[in-house]
Amino acid sequence: MLVVAAVYECLSLAAASLAQARLGVLGLVLFCAMGVGIRARNNTLAVGAAAALVALMIQA
């Protein structure tokens, strides 16, 4: 269980740094909003943030 949590955090850090490198602060905010939506089990927030993040990453 500890290994799964460590791998999850490493992937999360890598994705957040990629989003910040390509989109700046906005990418980081969207990535955090997606994480909060997933943890809060709020599908609207998570899907909306993920869709916005994907759209902006395609444009960048």
Side-chain angles (χ1 to χ4, degrees), residues 20-57:
Q20 186 178 15
R22 290 186 74 179
L23 297 176
V25 176
L26 179 64
L28 194 58
V29 168
L30 284 172
F31 190 77
C32 289
M34 188 174 60
V36 167
I38 290 171
R39 290 197 182 229
R41 298 183 190 256
N42 186 345
N43 291 336
T44 306
L45 176 63
V47 171
L53 186 63
V54 167
L56 288 173
M57 289 291 268

Side-chain angles (χ1 to χ4, degrees), residues 6-29:
V7 169
Y8 176 75
E9 290 301 322
C10 287
L11 289 175
S12 174
L13 180 64
S17 64
L18 175 66
Q20 186 178 15
R22 290 186 74 179
L23 297 176
V25 176
L26 179 64
L28 194 58
V29 168

